Amino acid sequence: MASQVASPSASLHTTSSSTTLSTPALSPSSPTQLSPDDLELLAKLEEQNRLLETDSKSLRSVNGSRRNSGSSLVSSSSASSNLSHLEEDSWILWGRIVNEWEDVRKKKEKQVKELVRKGIPHHFRAIVWQLLCSAQSMPIKDQYSELLKMTSPCEKLIRRDIARTYPEHDFFKEKDSLGQEVLFNVMKAYSLVDREVGYCQGSAFIVGLLLMQMPEEEAFCVFVKLMQDYRLRELFKPSMAELGLCMYQFECMIQEHLPELYVHFQSQSFHTSMYASSWFLTIFLTTFPLPIATRIFDIFMSEGLEIVFRVGLALLQMNQAELLQLDMEGMLQHFQKVIPHQFDSGPDKLIQASYQVKYNAKKMKKLEKEYTTIKTKEMEEQVEIKRLRTENRLLKQRIETLEKESASLADRLIQGQVTRAQEAEENYLIKRELATIKQQSDEAITKLEQAENTIRELQHQQQWHKCSSRYSEDFVLQLEKELVQARLSEAESHCALKEMQDKVLEMEKRNSSLPDEENVARLQEELIAVKLREAEALMGLKELRQQVKDLEEHWQRHLARTTGRWKDPPRKNTVNELQDELMTVRLREAETQAELKETKQRMMEMETQSQINNNHLRRAEQEVTSLQGKVQYLSAQNKGLVAQLNEAKRRQAEIECKSKEEVMAVRLREADRIAAVAELQQHIAELEIQKEEGKIQGQLNNSDSNQYIRELKDQIAELHHESATDQMPERPERLLRPAHF
């Protein structure tokens, strides 16, 4: 079904000549600018075309039934003769066009377009395509061999899709065939030339059609030119922005020319891209058989993407009745299976219908501007949404941070309460120990007082004995008992002192682990109180030490007096020993008093430390209270932020609704203005017609005629002025602004 090729691979391609050479009648106005020779030749072509249509039926009957009737032989011979004459005449005309291409393109561009619409002969298709896109002498052709030696990042994708390109065509269906190899080469070379586009799947069908007509170097040059000058590069870019524009323009054309079908598509959610995207990406090469698609591609090479819009709308017009009866799935099946085979008899009907479609280039430009404006607004809205999402994410992060800080403050509060409870418990234990130590100290003081009383009694007795110089054994025994009791009390006081010292050490260790003072003023006061107590304790210690020194001197004098008494009788020696022991007891009493003073000093220090700890606990309570206040403040701030976020969301929703309503209102006002302008223009046309009729028929007198004409001119001027004022763009009352928090 492919057309024959005027290239080294011509033997690989076959086509039906009757399909490619059918030439529908030219429009009556087209031959007016042709030369006389061209007019005569075109007339012959039209006559022979009519003969061909009548004789082709008899030719098909001969080929189908193999009858040997004389009438069928005559019709077949006449058909072949007419075909040869038509082919010869078209060759002469196109040969002249190709040889004089520059002059013909400049002077008779419209006639060339008409001829292209009737179909380019397959032998001239390769050179005419190159001439139409100006690809016959491109510098990039010399780089083709170098490009094939390079490596492309798209090679795997190209290899994967080659087997899907024209899988039923003889030139491409064999794996690793010449067709697949040259197709791979051209696609690889272009992916290296245009790295932004690289490779897109639909482009392989266009390259495959070019390779059916010409060698690979020429096909590469034509494809590069098509991508650059025919909007195909924008269609095949990764963003496919141009395809979206084509879909928007085509949908607007459907809405204008086929409103019922447009409403049906909208009700079925049948989007334009579901059936029309392949039309624009492959120029109907994947929709119709090759003979029909090649004819459409001829016109595309001459007129660009306009033919795709025309053919697409013509297809919808011809199938409107069937499509209105189908749902979305049925419409998809209709587009895939029914429409491709509707024109197997020839593409002339489709092409004629496509050129009956009203195509307004200015309106397409206007739609392009509208689409650009819509996309710009969408981009701005996306940027605004992205900004709002970023702000939302930051607010969420801030809320999470505040929640973490709140949790940390709560943990610190709980930890402070636990520490406070532990310190209170330790303080309670310290107070109990202090009470126990005080009790033991009181007991020791009582025992010391008893010992002092005993010593006084002994002193009185000693003095009494000195006076009487008579000692009895009972008195000695009594002294011994008192001495034993004094020693026992001394031992008990030593044990109590050791226990008190150990507890004081433990309390000092605990006090050293307590936190430092932060309030300098209170510390200074406590330090002054401690120093005063320390000074008092030092004074007491000095007094005790002086007493100890006095006792030691007294003891030394006593020893000096008693050195000569060892030769006295035993009874007298016993008295002396008792006196010595009494002196020793006094010394020990003094030492015990000194130790008691030290214990009292330490008790004062412990009380001071207890006051410090109480201050610590008080400050800890104050910190806990402040932390609780901070937690409450942060919780309130967190609630405020959540309320602000909800308010911002609500405002954003309101702004979006208002913007949509204003856009709809602007569109409605534009539609009203367009309708008013159309009515005014129609009124102007009617007035001008009345003026012309008045002039021609001569129904009015000269004066009346002039007056009537002046009135008509005034009315026309007023209407022109009103239409101009209506066409001025209405400014919206307020601009749509993005919401800012």
Side-chain angles (χ1 to χ4, degrees), residues 61-209:
S61 63
V62 170
N63 292 332
S65 61
R66 303 291 185 182
R67 294 177 181 175
N68 296 320
S69 63
S71 60
S72 61
L73 290 174
V74 172
S75 62
S76 62
S77 62
S78 62
S80 60
S81 63
N82 288 333
L83 183 62
S84 62
H85 285 302
L86 177 61
E87 194 173 42
E88 182 180 356
D89 293 340
S90 64
W91 275 49
I92 293 170
L93 179 59
W94 278 104
R96 187 182 302 168
I97 291 172
V98 170
N99 292 330
E100 301 173 1
W101 176 255
E102 294 298 330
D103 295 335
V104 172
R105 184 68 181 268
K106 292 178 181 178
K107 298 178 182 179
K108 301 178 181 180
E109 184 178 0
K110 188 174 181 181
Q111 286 73 23
V112 172
K113 285 185 178 180
E114 292 291 341
L115 289 174
V116 171
R117 292 173 187 175
K118 296 176 184 301
I120 303 171
H122 59 276
H123 290 88
F124 288 94
R125 186 163 279 133
I127 184 63
V128 171
W129 282 1
Q130 294 179 52
L131 291 171
L132 284 171
C133 65
S134 302
Q136 63 271 23
S137 58
M138 290 181 66
I140 200 171
K141 186 175 182 180
D142 300 331
Q143 304 175 11
Y144 182 72
S145 58
E146 296 297 329
L147 291 171
L148 295 182
K149 297 176 184 178
M150 299 168 66
T151 303
S152 171
C154 304
E155 289 185 7
K156 290 184 179 179
L157 292 175
I158 298 171
R159 288 285 186 195
R160 184 193 65 187
D161 291 337
I162 279 179
R164 306 174 187 174
T165 306
Y166 298 115
E168 298 179 358
H169 198 280
D170 295 335
F171 192 41
F172 299 103
K173 68 180 180 180
E174 295 294 333
K175 188 177 181 182
D176 298 330
S177 62
L178 177 61
Q180 290 191 1
E181 191 63 29
V182 294
L183 178 59
F184 172 79
N185 291 340
V186 175
M187 298 308 300
K188 171 187 172 182
Y190 184 79
S191 67
L192 292 169
V193 170
D194 190 354
R195 294 184 180 271
E196 183 182 0
V197 174
Y199 166 72
C200 189
Q201 185 177 4
S203 60
F205 288 93
I206 298 174
V207 176
L209 180 65

Side-chain angles (χ1 to χ4, degrees), residues 587-640:
L587 290 172
R588 289 177 179 174
E589 180 183 359
E591 291 176 355
T592 304
Q593 287 179 355
E595 290 178 353
L596 185 62
K597 290 282 187 180
E598 290 179 357
T599 304
K600 287 181 178 180
Q601 176 64 26
R602 289 189 178 179
M603 286 176 64
M604 286 191 292
E605 291 177 356
M606 292 300 296
E607 288 176 354
T608 304
Q609 194 66 34
S610 176
Q611 291 178 357
I612 292 170
N613 291 334
N614 289 330
N615 292 331
H616 276 299
L617 289 172
R618 194 181 307 110
R619 284 189 289 276
E621 290 176 354
Q622 292 176 357
E623 288 180 359
V624 168
T625 305
S626 64
L627 288 174
Q628 287 178 348
K630 287 182 180 179
V631 168
Q632 292 176 356
Y633 172 72
L634 290 173
S635 300
Q637 191 175 7
N638 187 9
K639 291 179 180 178

